[in-house]
Amino acid sequence: MPPALGHPAPHPDTDRATPVQARELARTGDAVLLDVREADEFAAGHAPGALHQPLIALAAGAPLPPAATGRTVLALCRSGHRSRRAVELLAQRGVRALNVTGGMHAWALAGLPVTTPGGEAGRVA
């Protein structure tokens, strides 16, 4: 699938990114993190700067958060299964999306920060 306008494809032969790659793509503004877990999971701990839209809402046709519109999306869940489904759903909408492999578990294991909506240290639920 071609990249979103103005955003080069970070991995032309795959629809995945490691947590470290995803953090860098989000940091540089080349993509936006989208956490597709349930609200309680997101509240317990998420990647800093991640937007939130549960998979169930995406599956029901809910729009992406405005900040994700027209951008490459890095889908993130707890282990990578829900985010893989989110990538499929988003691709059907014409959205360039990558699955963050291993989800928030891999994110935390890589030593990347996990935060709460209030800015405190979070945990992966």
Side-chain angles (χ1 to χ4, degrees):
M1 171 186 307
L5 292 177
H7 297 285
H11 308 285
D13 297 323
T14 182
D15 63 350
R16 298 182 302 263
T18 68
V20 171
Q21 290 167 329
R23 181 178 187 212
E24 182 62 13
L25 289 167
R27 186 193 66 76
T28 61
D30 288 329
V32 61
L33 290 164
L34 180 69
D35 194 314
V36 299
R37 297 175 298 155
E38 294 301 317
D40 60 329
E41 294 172 289
F42 183 80
H46 57 271
L51 304 173
H52 183 237
Q53 181 67 280
L55 177 60
I56 193 163
L58 286 175
L64 285 171
T69 302
R71 303 193 53 205
T72 298
V73 171
L74 299 160
L76 191 59
C77 67
R78 185 171 41 121
S79 64
H81 297 290
R82 286 177 282 182
S83 55
R84 185 174 345 123
R85 179 66 182 131
V87 167
E88 294 168 359
L89 290 168
L90 292 170
Q92 292 171 3
R93 297 183 190 186
V95 174
R96 169 80 171 138
L98 303 174
N99 183 23
V100 179
T101 57
M104 284 302 298
H105 280 301
W107 182 279
L109 285 173
L112 299 175
V114 178
T115 188
T116 66
E120 297 88 24
R123 62 179 177 76
V124 179

